[in-house]
Amino acid sequence: MVDHISREQAEAWLDEKVVQGIEHETTDGTEFNLRLQLSRLPLHVIKEETWGPLRVVGECTFDTERVAALVEDDEDRQKLLTRLGPILATAPGFYTFLDADGDPCEFPAVHSILLEHRIYPDGASQQAVMDSVMATAATMRSIQNTAAALQNQAVWNTGTEETEQ
């Protein structure tokens, strides 16, 4: 059982055969913020307080014009939310919809989805950290793939409608 997780310990728990580019990011209000990538997905392992939990954080941004257009159309937005529901329900920890300013919002105004899983010191281990990092990355990849598939379907349907007319 671990009572206090240092930056060095958290870094040592990250499997460098799985994660890449581990960097220490200086952030106000945190004890440490480790930035890393898993399969080109940016993640953070953050600790805000000396005796507090580790926070594994990832953010999926709907930043391409094509995917952002899905969120703007009422019907496509509902399809996207319906498809993301099961992914988000099984995500580790919790999620928050964020608007373009990074503030929590309802889904119609979503610009990104913030995923966060907390690991408390009494449950911290290399296995717990790597499970959290990998599950968060898998959720991020599923969100991206779902949005891309729906976007491609919308483009294909638009092309089909134009051909039929």
Side-chain angles (χ1 to χ4, degrees):
M1 181 167 86
V2 177
D3 289 332
H4 166 66
I5 306 163
S6 67
R7 178 177 64 86
E8 294 78 14
Q9 180 62 70
E11 255 184 282
W13 281 340
L14 295 170
D15 184 345
E16 291 184 10
K17 292 179 182 174
V18 178
V19 299
Q20 301 83 39
I22 302 168
E23 296 179 12
H24 182 258
E25 189 173 277
T26 304
T27 309
D28 290 340
T30 65
E31 186 169 318
F32 62 82
N33 182 348
L34 301 174
R35 185 178 54 212
L36 56 107
Q37 288 191 359
L38 192 151
S39 187
R40 297 189 328 259
L41 295 169
L43 295 160
H44 293 263
V45 176
I46 302 167
K47 186 166 178 208
E48 294 173 335
E49 301 170 359
T50 301
W51 303 104
L54 290 178
R55 296 173 49 229
V56 176
V57 178
E59 186 174 349
C60 291
T61 303
F62 299 119
D63 55 358
T64 65
E65 287 181 28
R66 296 182 306 177
V67 175
L70 288 175
V71 178
E72 293 174 9
D73 179 78
D74 289 340
E75 186 177 333
D76 287 341
R77 182 176 55 245
Q78 188 58 44
K79 286 179 188 176
L80 180 60
L81 184 57
T82 299
R83 291 188 184 178
L84 289 179
I87 295 167
L88 295 172
T90 59
F94 64 95
Y95 63 90
T96 305
F97 299 135
L98 301 176
D99 63 18
D101 296 324
D103 295 322
C105 67
E106 296 296 319
F107 193 72
V110 71
H111 175 73
S112 63
I113 302 174
L114 182 73
L115 302 167
E116 180 176 332
H117 184 238
R118 291 177 179 231
I119 303 169
Y120 291 88
D122 63 346
S125 67
Q126 181 175 24
Q127 188 68 52
V129 170
M130 287 306 299
D131 282 351
S132 181
V133 166
M134 292 175 77
T136 301
T139 301
M140 292 171 68
R141 182 67 73 213
S142 293
I143 290 169
Q144 289 177 342
N145 289 345
T146 299
L150 190 56
Q151 186 277 322
N152 287 338
Q153 181 182 6
V155 168
W156 186 82
N157 287 342
T158 302
T160 303
E161 289 171 9
E162 290 174 4
T163 305
E164 292 174 356
Q165 292 177 351

